Amino acid sequence: MNRKIFPELLDPLMCEAPQAKCAAVESLWTDWQAGVMFDRAAALPHAIDEPGRPARPELVEPSALRSRRVGTREGHAAMIHAICHIEFTAINLALDAAWRFRDLPDAYLADWLRVAADEARHFGLLRAHLQTLGFDYGDFPAHAGLWDMARRTADDVLTRMALVPRVLEARGLDATPPIMDKLRTIGDAPALEILDLILNDEITHVAIGDRWFRHVCAQRGLAPEATFLALFNAFNAPRLQPPINEKARLAAGFSEGEIDSLTAQRRPAA
C-alpha cells in the first residue's frame, strides 16, 4: 500500500522536539528521492495556527529582544541562536507550504520537501555550533515574526509564495553577508562556513518560491512583478534594509527593476 504523503508531512510539522522533527523531515525527503510511492489522497487541509515547537525558546516581540555585542560570549551565542531559530521556523514554513496547498503538482511537493530537509540540516549545524559555545537552542528568547506571515497567507498559495520566500527568506540574502562580517571580526570560522552554505542554499530556496509564484501568476493571468508589488504593499511586508544583496536576489529570480522598486519602498513619500 502506498504511503500517504500529507499525514506524513503533518506529523513533523506538529512535532515539538527539534531533533525528532529534523530526523522525520530528512527521512521523508530521502524516501521521496528514492522513489517511494506516496498517495496524495487526504482530508482537506486546515490552517495551522501554531506548528510544533519546544517550550523554549520563549517567544517575545522583536522590540523585546536585547541587543548584545557580538564580541562578548553571550552576544556571540545570541547571534548564532537567532539564526538557529530562523532555520527552525523555516522547517515549519516549508512543511506547511507542502502540506497546505494541494492543487499543485508533485514537483511543488518535491521542492518544499527539499527545502524542509535543507532547513533541518542548517538547524542541526547551527545548533551543534551553538553547543560548542556553551549554549543550546532555547537558551535565549526569540521572536515569531516569520510564522506570523504564514498565518496571514494561509488561504492562498499566491500570497504565500510572494510573501514568505520572496520577502522573508529573501531578507536573509541581504542580512547574511553583514552577519558574516561581524563573525569574521571575532574569528568564528566554523560559523562562517555554515553561513556560506546557508546563503547558497537560500538563493535556491528563494528561487523555488519565485518559480511557483510565477507559475500561479501564469495560471491566473497575472503580471508577476506588478502582482508582487501590490501584495508587498497590501500586506505591509517588511521593507528592504540596506545593504541589498543584489547579486543574490538576481540569482534567485528578481529583476533589476523589481529590486529598484522594492528599494524605493523604504523611502517615505514626499
Side-chain angles (χ1 to χ4, degrees):
M1 180 181 294
N2 293 350
R3 288 159 55 183
K4 297 185 182 299
I5 184 61
F6 293 114
E8 291 205 32
L9 285 166
L10 184 60
D11 285 346
L13 177 58
M14 300 310 296
C15 179
E16 297 178 354
Q19 188 171 347
K21 183 188 291 284
C22 291
V25 168
E26 290 164 0
S27 176
L28 187 55
W29 173 230
T30 297
D31 289 347
W32 182 282
Q33 289 179 290
V36 172
M37 298 299 294
F38 287 97
D39 188 343
R40 292 178 62 114
L44 291 175
H46 58 276
I48 301 295
D49 186 58
E50 288 287 350
R53 67 174 187 85
R56 298 173 66 241
E58 175 190 7
L59 298 185
V60 299
E61 292 297 320
S63 59
L65 293 174
R66 287 178 53 196
S67 178
R68 295 178 171 92
R69 291 174 49 227
V70 72
T72 67
R73 177 174 173 269
E74 284 206 346
H76 181 190
M79 175 176 283
I80 301 300
H81 185 277
I83 306 167
C84 194
H85 178 67
I86 289 170
E87 297 302 315
F88 181 81
T89 306
I91 302 169
N92 286 332
L93 288 169
L95 289 171
D96 188 69
W99 180 83
R100 175 127 184 89
F101 302 109
R102 311 283 175 89
D103 296 330
L104 288 151
D106 281 355
Y108 172 88
L109 275 173
D111 275 345
W112 290 107
L113 272 174
R114 172 191 174 178
V115 173
D118 285 348
E119 307 293 15
R121 186 174 72 256
H122 299 165
F123 172 81
L125 290 169
L126 287 163
R127 185 181 188 184
H129 183 52
L130 184 62
Q131 289 168 341
T132 70
L133 303 177
F135 296 87
D136 200 357
Y137 181 57
D139 286 349
F140 298 91
H143 72 83
L146 289 172
W147 188 258
D148 287 343
M149 187 62 83
R151 290 192 191 94
R152 296 175 64 196
T153 59
D155 294 330
D156 185 12
V157 68
L158 181 72
T159 56
R160 174 67 64 86
M161 293 297 103
L163 299 174
V164 174
R166 295 189 98 246
V167 173
L168 300 186
E169 289 200 62
R171 293 182 81 199
L173 304 181
D174 303 329
T176 299
I179 290 172
M180 293 176 73
D181 288 342
K182 290 181 179 180
L183 291 169
R184 196 172 286 113
T185 66
I186 60 171
D188 189 348
L192 290 171
E193 186 176 345
I194 295 168
L195 290 183
D196 187 59
L197 167 70
I198 290 175
L199 179 58
N200 286 318
D201 283 349
E202 294 299 340
I203 292 172
T204 301
H205 299 173
V206 177
I208 286 170
D210 178 76
R211 177 164 66 252
W212 290 108
F213 172 71
R214 293 178 187 277
H215 174 87
V216 179
C217 281
Q219 286 184 326
R220 300 183 187 181
L222 301 171
E225 293 189 9
T227 300
F228 176 71
L229 193 59
L231 290 169
F232 184 86
N233 286 312
F235 279 76
N236 194 27
R239 270 39 188 171
L240 274 64
Q241 298 295 324
I244 307 303
N245 191 343
E246 185 169 343
K247 180 180 179 181
R249 283 179 175 266
L250 290 171
F254 289 84
S255 71
E256 290 183 359
E258 189 174 22
I259 294 171
D260 289 343
S261 296
L262 289 170
T263 303
Q265 300 300 308
R266 294 188 293 105
R267 295 193 292 267

